[in-house]
Amino acid sequence: MIAQEHARVAPLEHNALFTTFDSVFRTISKNQSEKYTQPFKTEKIDLDLVPDFPKKHKQQFLEVIGQPSLIYRDIRNLAEKLFSHPLFNDVTRLHPATVTRDGKRVYSDIYSGQWWQELQKISKEGCVILGLMLASDKTVITGNLRNSAWPIYLKLANTPFEYRTKDTLHGTRLLAYLPVIESKRLSNKKWFPLAKKAIFHYCISLVMAPFRKFDIFKMQGPDQKVYKCIPALAAYSADYQEQSLLALVKSGNTARGCPRCFVLTSEYRENGTAELRTSSKMEHLYKLGNGLLHGTEGEKEEDEEDEEIFMEISMHNIQNAFWKLPQPFFDLHDSLLVDDLHQLGDVYEHLLNCLDKLIMDLNGTKGASIIEEINNRASMIPQYKDHRRFNQGIFPRFLRNPTYTEWRSNMAIILPCCYDYIPLQAALCLRHFLDFVMHATAEEHTEDSLTEMEESLDAYYKYSPIFQKYSPSGLNFPKNHMLQKYAHDIRSRGIIRGYSTTSSEHQHTIDVKKPAKRTNGRFDSLSQMANFIQKKDLLFDIAINQSSTLTTSLRAKATISKIISRRSQLSYKLASETDPKEVSVLSQQGTFHGLSIILRSFFHTTIDNNFARVALRNLPQLDDDTIKVYQTLIVEDCDSNGKVIIDKIRTHDQFHGRERKDFAVFEFPNIKDRSDKEIYESYGQVLMVFRAKYRGREYDLVLARRYCPLGETHKTGLEVISPDLDDTYKGLFISQIERVKRTIHVVPDYDSDAFVDPVLGSMYGKYLLNHDSDRFSWCNSRGRLPHINERSKEFVHWNKEYDNPKQVGTEDDDA
């Protein structure tokens, strides 16, 4: 791996002699330091220069807070450093591209989206769009939650996603530490939040100052060549609160609280269109509002009229730092993109809270016992890959600070656990939301997949009134509205993983948490942290520029990635060998009853290509009755982008103290001509992986129990299957390992009849192929979903009686 290769390279010779970070730094020459250093500078904020700061409260602010400080780097120089970094010479994108596969347009990274292409059309020929990707988020730097930092990160859209987000390549750099201004003493002052917003935007204007005037910058780029560059804001990744702050849009219970469009807050739950915000429109509204208030420019007074006018247009009476930047290259509102971490996860949590309340409401005194039963199912559901367990419960009130990864695991099992206790409309609402999430988080998109995603969203909004009664805002909350932006942003900037806040959240560990441990924790911590990061970046850049090994290695990796992406054959490996077993002995055991006959029949038909019926005594014999048995089958595949996908199929009855049953999809040729031109799929529970000898050759085989599709519709939309227990051998079959295509997650249909088989033990009459467990299963789903007529009596429509005007538009809406 690239990361491992970086770790093995010593930045400087004799590094074992150095005992401290500073002692290493002192060995760097002055010329090296001046050439590679990207220095931070600290600027004290002069409140008299801050536009729209409430000047009459300046003295009180300084007495309580003191003079704020901004620590930042020159964004132009830092962007040029990333653009010219030797590690990215062979992978840096200079121009957009229309990517196609099978004749269809594909949206992947930012370069494949429409945003870059549209800017390129209005730029001078020969110019390179330098896509700036910013991210900011306030975070704590100590365990006691008392000290905070507010970092801004910079990376380039010209650097492919897999490189700009990798820690060891330093494709993301710290740009600035914004001042964190907090005071319990001033928190109840009406002017204090406005003062903080004004300072925030003034600091942003200082950071972005090098790009304030439109210009074509000559910058050093890949292979040390000079390019004509036009900087543009490709994305600004932030959570909802930060987006509202950046856009200076009033959030919460206001008329139009979306930072990206002018939709009415009361229409958040409806899937419609609204006029988009732009910097020019917002600046015009700012000037218009001040003109109505004051007639002429002058110092603003804090009064109710001010509040009412700007509440009506849902904006703060403050100048935005991005208004003075060249448009449309720095269109902030178009750059505030969707986010899986803070939006999809939070909407799902909200729906899950509503589902919890719905179950309790509809079942009265039995509600608590039903919730307990659902939680019990969640804790006992069969393990699958890296999915998290929910031993304490599956609903939010039973979880403690769940991560987005845990929510994704939760999404994979929620419907099989609760569908029989909820109305069909609630199940369909969840089904279509989960389909939307799977679409939205895909690794690439086509127009067909985006259309399907939009159809899933339409269906979600259609069925969502079932939860209105149980939502504090009646589902009128901002993140529910943001779902409408996903298709646009994917067409514009590619897959959401390319600009997700997940990357910046991870960057906190590198540029906030770890540097904080290098400080004394008391005085001027941010300056100490910036100094540490400056030295760390300097050492990395010197090491990379002086070492041809790393650059060559990265180029080799890029080439290998292209080769892998063209590989279509799966590879297989047997692992965890156990003691050899005798087939004759296994055949007498209940689970493997008839193994000897099944194995001999397999060699007779599949290997020897004999299809005529023969007596048992005429079936061929194995060379050796002893077989080698393995506990694990490893299946390795690659997706279209070259990413290696590893499936592990285990045959353990128990794994980490829990019952385990692993299932797989098997592909078999057409029975008539035994060719692979026509294949059919079969589902099976993998019971044993083994190696047997026949006619002087060893064969790697799988013993499985067949599960048959029933073709039924189901409330979950999952495919219904049933164990094949009717024949003599209870559905046992043998396959070569090459016929195993992928793992699948099979869960009980808890609403079906349970029974006890004398050989196999406890069973259910029906099972569900849980296609929500992974993308491969989801893409190959054959589930059938019922529908509800909106005119039927059972269908729940929007009801204004359940709307709470005080909660409409609020962001933290999961109470």
Side-chain angles (χ1 to χ4, degrees):
M1 298 295 292
I2 298 176
Q4 293 172 338
E5 291 170 359
H6 288 177
R8 289 196 295 267
V9 175
L12 298 170
E13 295 180 0
H14 314 300
N15 63 327
L17 300 177
F18 302 111
T19 57
T20 67
F21 188 85
D22 286 335
S23 63
V24 178
F25 188 78
R26 283 194 292 270
T27 65
I28 298 173
S29 69
K30 183 178 180 180
N31 290 337
Q32 287 178 317
S33 180
E34 291 177 351
K35 182 178 179 180
Y36 297 112
T37 296
Q38 293 294 316
F40 286 92
K41 61 180 178 179
T42 302
E43 183 162 337
K44 295 287 186 180
I45 304 301
D46 185 348
L47 299 183
D48 290 328
L49 300 179
V50 178
D52 300 322
F53 185 88
K55 300 298 191 300
K56 65 180 182 180
H57 301 291
K58 170 186 171 182
Q59 192 60 37
Q60 185 180 8
F61 182 93
L62 292 174
E63 290 175 357
V64 178
I65 303 297
Q67 191 172 12
S69 296
L70 169 67
I71 303 173
Y72 66 110
R73 283 166 155 166
D74 187 301
I75 188 173
R76 182 200 183 285
N77 293 339
L78 188 60
E80 185 174 18
K81 171 63 69 177
L82 292 172
F83 187 51
S84 62
H85 211 287
L87 277 179
F88 307 134
N89 281 341
D90 287 357
V91 296
T92 296
R93 290 279 178 177
L94 300 177
H95 302 287
T98 300
V99 182
T100 60
R101 180 175 287 116
D102 299 327
K104 295 182 179 180
R105 179 167 186 169
V106 173
Y107 300 98
S108 53
D109 205 352
I110 291 182
Y111 71 88
S112 65
Q114 298 170 359
W115 169 82
W116 199 335
Q117 292 180 336
E118 291 169 359
L119 286 188
Q120 196 71 54
K121 290 178 182 178
I122 63 175
S123 303
K124 289 186 178 181
E125 186 176 353
C127 290
V128 175
I129 298 296
L130 191 68
L132 307 175
M133 302 184 70
L134 301 178
S136 61
D137 182 33
K138 187 165 63 174
T139 183
V140 295
I141 61 177
T142 57
N144 58 21
L145 307 180
R146 288 187 298 180
N147 296 329
S148 300
W150 201 335
I152 302 180
Y153 304 115
L154 172 68
K155 51 192 170 186
L156 297 184
N158 306 73
T159 308
F161 168 79
E162 59 268 28
Y163 299 105
R164 66 175 179 259
T165 57
K166 188 178 287 292
D167 298 349
T168 52
L169 300 184
H170 290 226
T172 302
R173 298 291 178 98
L174 178 69
L175 175 61
Y177 283 130
L178 296 170
V180 178
I181 303 172
E182 301 291 349
S183 172
K184 292 183 179 179
R185 180 177 166 186
L186 299 178
S187 60
N188 61 344
K189 301 295 183 181
K190 185 177 179 180
W191 59 267
F192 186 57
L194 297 177
K196 293 197 297 182
K197 291 178 175 66
I199 294 173
F200 173 87
H201 274 270
Y202 180 69
C203 291
I204 294 291
S205 68
L206 293 177
V207 173
M208 303 301 294
F211 300 139
R212 191 170 296 163
K213 293 182 179 180
F214 177 80
D215 197 0
I216 297 176
F217 295 84
K218 292 185 178 180
M219 291 188 176
Q220 195 173 73
D223 295 318
Q224 305 305 305
K225 296 179 181 179
V226 176
Y227 297 84
K228 296 178 181 179
C229 297
I230 301 178
L233 184 60
Y236 201 124
S237 302
D239 58 22
Y240 172 71
Q241 296 94 325
E242 193 109 351
Q243 287 188 352
S244 297
L245 174 61
L246 285 160
L248 286 174
V249 170
K250 293 179 181 289
S251 59
N253 191 10
T254 185
R256 304 175 187 274
C258 177
R260 298 183 57 182
C261 70
F262 289 101
V263 66
L264 289 170
T265 304
S266 58
E267 297 177 358
Y268 275 164
R269 66 193 179 197
E270 300 174 13
N271 192 10
T273 57
E275 183 182 0
L276 298 178
R277 297 180 187 268
T278 64
S279 293
S280 58
K281 290 177 184 177
M282 296 299 289
E283 186 175 13
H284 174 71
L285 289 174
Y286 167 81
K287 293 178 178 179
L288 180 62
N290 277 287
L292 293 173
L293 282 173
H294 312 295
T296 59
E297 292 187 4
E299 184 171 331
K300 297 170 186 163
E301 297 291 336
E302 174 192 349
D303 53 30
E304 290 300 324
E305 184 183 14
D306 186 313
E307 184 69 20
E308 289 177 6
I309 289 176
F310 284 95
M311 181 66 78
E312 178 65 25
I313 55 179
S314 298
M315 66 177 293
H316 294 289
N317 188 12
I318 299 171
Q319 293 184 39
N320 194 304
F322 289 89
W323 294 346
K324 302 303 181 183
L325 296 173
Q327 302 298 326
F329 296 95
F330 285 88
D331 187 347
L332 171 69
H333 302 280
D334 187 53
S335 302
L336 297 176
L337 305 179
V338 296
D339 177 44
D340 53 351
L341 178 64
H342 291 101
Q343 291 174 6
L344 296 181
D346 287 358
V347 173
Y348 177 68
E349 181 180 2
H350 185 94
L351 293 176
L352 216 53
N353 273 310
C354 293
L355 182 66
D356 188 349
K357 296 174 184 176
L358 179 145
I359 293 172
M360 295 295 292
D361 181 46
L362 296 184
N363 295 282
T365 56
K366 296 182 180 179
S369 60
I370 291 176
I371 293 294
E372 184 178 357
E373 171 60 21
I374 293 172
N375 288 337
N376 183 57
R377 291 177 179 179
S379 66
M380 299 303 295
I381 208 159
Q383 179 69 16
Y384 185 71
K385 293 187 177 178
D386 297 325
H387 285 198
R388 305 294 177 90
R389 306 291 306 191
F390 296 93
N391 297 326
Q392 304 303 318
I394 197 171
F395 293 100
R397 59 187 167 114
F398 301 104
L399 304 176
R400 183 177 180 182
N401 299 324
T403 64
Y404 178 64
T405 302
E406 288 173 319
W407 283 132
R408 289 305 299 263
S409 295
N410 195 305
M411 292 179 195
I413 63 173
I414 182 62
L415 276 175
C417 289
C418 72
Y419 79 90
D420 50 328
Y421 289 120
I422 60 177
L424 175 59
Q425 185 174 344
L428 292 177
C429 180
L430 284 173
R431 168 75 275 143
H432 289 293
F433 176 78
L434 297 179
D435 287 343
F436 173 81
V437 171
M438 293 295 282
H439 271 300
T441 55
E443 294 296 314
E444 64 178 35
H445 293 271
T446 63
E447 284 298 332
D448 291 341
S449 69
L450 290 176
T451 299
E452 291 176 5
M453 184 181 78
E454 291 172 315
E455 291 173 351
S456 296
L457 184 62
D458 288 339
Y460 159 71
Y461 281 123
K462 170 186 173 181
Y463 293 121
S464 60
I466 188 70
F467 292 125
Q468 179 193 11
K469 179 180 177 181
Y470 310 101
S471 168
S473 66
L475 294 180
N476 269 319
F477 62 104
K479 292 171 184 176
N480 199 31
H481 163 69
M482 288 296 179
L483 302 180
Q484 303 171 28
K485 315 290 186 185
Y486 277 70
H488 169 272
D489 288 354
I490 290 170
R491 289 186 176 98
S492 177
R493 266 87 165 182
I495 60 173
I496 62 175
R497 193 165 69 101
Y499 40 84
S500 168
T501 57
T502 304
S503 175
S504 57
E505 291 286 343
H506 174 69
Q507 198 68 24
H508 287 336
T509 303
I510 301 169
D511 287 333
V512 177
K513 312 293 185 182
K514 290 183 178 179
K517 295 178 180 179
R518 298 273 183 168
T519 70
N520 57 28
R522 291 176 293 177
F523 304 107
D524 205 12
S525 295
L526 292 180
S527 294
Q528 297 177 55
M529 292 163 60
N531 184 49
F532 170 79
I533 292 169
Q534 178 177 312
K535 293 178 179 180
K536 181 190 68 173
D537 288 349
L538 173 61
L539 290 175
F540 178 81
D541 291 338
I542 291 176
I544 295 301
N545 281 274
Q546 291 181 349
S547 174
S548 60
T549 305
L550 292 178
T551 306
T552 304
S553 171
L554 185 60
R555 291 178 176 178
K557 288 292 182 181
T559 304
I560 292 171
S561 178
K562 294 177 182 178
I563 295 173
I564 291 176
S565 65
R566 293 194 294 267
R567 189 183 71 184
S568 59
Q569 296 296 321
L570 292 91
S571 62
Y572 302 86
K573 180 181 178 182
L574 305 182
S576 304
E577 184 177 357
T578 63
D579 296 333
K581 302 288 192 301
E582 294 182 1
V583 174
S584 57
V585 175
L586 289 174
S587 298
Q588 305 305 314
Q589 299 177 9
T591 303
F592 305 110
H593 173 68
L595 173 61
S596 176
I597 296 174
I598 297 171
L599 185 56
R600 291 163 61 194
S601 298
F602 167 80
F603 283 119
H604 176 70
T605 56
T606 304
I607 304 302
D608 294 341
N609 290 317
N610 294 319
F611 303 106
R613 292 187 176 182
V614 296
L616 293 179
R617 64 178 179 275
N618 294 329
L619 287 175
Q621 298 290 334
L622 277 70
D623 293 356
D624 190 344
D625 189 54
T626 301
I627 57 176
K628 296 179 180 179
V629 179
Y630 301 82
Q631 291 185 320
T632 305
L633 171 62
I634 301 174
V635 183
E636 185 174 306
D637 195 6
C638 290
D639 65 12
S640 57
N641 294 319
K643 179 182 178 182
V644 177
I645 301 170
I646 297 177
D647 275 345
K648 291 184 179 181
I649 302 174
R650 294 184 170 91
T651 59
H652 311 66
D653 292 333
Q654 298 286 325
F655 190 71
H656 291 298
R658 294 184 179 275
E659 181 183 8
R660 185 182 182 106
K661 295 180 179 179
D662 280 16
F663 290 77
V665 174
F666 297 80
E667 287 187 353
F668 295 103
N670 185 285
I671 298 178
K672 295 181 180 179
D673 57 12
R674 310 300 292 179
S675 70
D676 285 333
K677 294 181 180 179
E678 295 184 16
I679 60 174
Y680 71 94
E681 288 186 348
S682 180
Y683 307 132
Q685 178 193 349
V686 179
L687 302 176
M688 185 169 63
V689 180
F690 62 99
R691 181 170 290 161
K693 288 184 179 180
Y694 178 67
R695 298 191 187 277
R697 181 181 172 185
E698 289 186 331
Y699 292 86
D700 293 337
L701 306 173
V702 174
L703 175 69
R705 176 164 286 107
R706 181 176 287 105
Y707 280 65
C708 303
L710 300 182
E712 299 179 357
T713 60
H714 199 272
K715 284 173 68 174
T716 62
L718 304 179
E719 186 174 4
V720 184
I721 59 178
S722 176
D724 183 9
L725 305 179
D726 295 335
D727 63 11
T728 305
Y729 304 109
K730 295 186 179 295
L732 288 181
F733 69 95
I734 288 177
S735 164
Q736 294 169 287
I737 63 171
E738 291 80 8
R739 295 296 178 186
V740 177
K741 294 305 172 186
R742 66 180 187 276
T743 58
I744 54 176
H745 189 210
V746 174
V747 299
D749 183 348
Y750 293 106
D751 198 34
S752 66
D753 295 332
F755 63 94
V756 177
D757 184 269
V759 175
L760 305 179
S762 298
M763 301 281 290
Y764 283 88
K766 298 178 182 179
Y767 289 79
L768 301 175
L769 199 165
N770 184 17
H771 68 245
D772 293 321
S773 57
D774 66 81
R775 192 167 301 282
F776 283 112
S777 296
W778 184 81
C779 292
N780 291 279
S781 168
R782 296 191 182 90
R784 298 182 179 182
L785 193 64
H787 299 278
I788 302 179
N789 191 326
E790 291 184 74
R791 298 180 180 179
S792 66
K793 295 181 180 180
E794 294 80 13
F795 193 91
V796 178
H797 296 272
W798 296 115
N799 189 338
K800 292 185 178 180
E801 294 181 4
Y802 297 136
D803 285 338
N804 183 351
K806 294 183 179 180
Q807 289 286 339
V808 169
T810 53
E811 190 276 330
D812 189 8
D813 193 45
D814 294 323

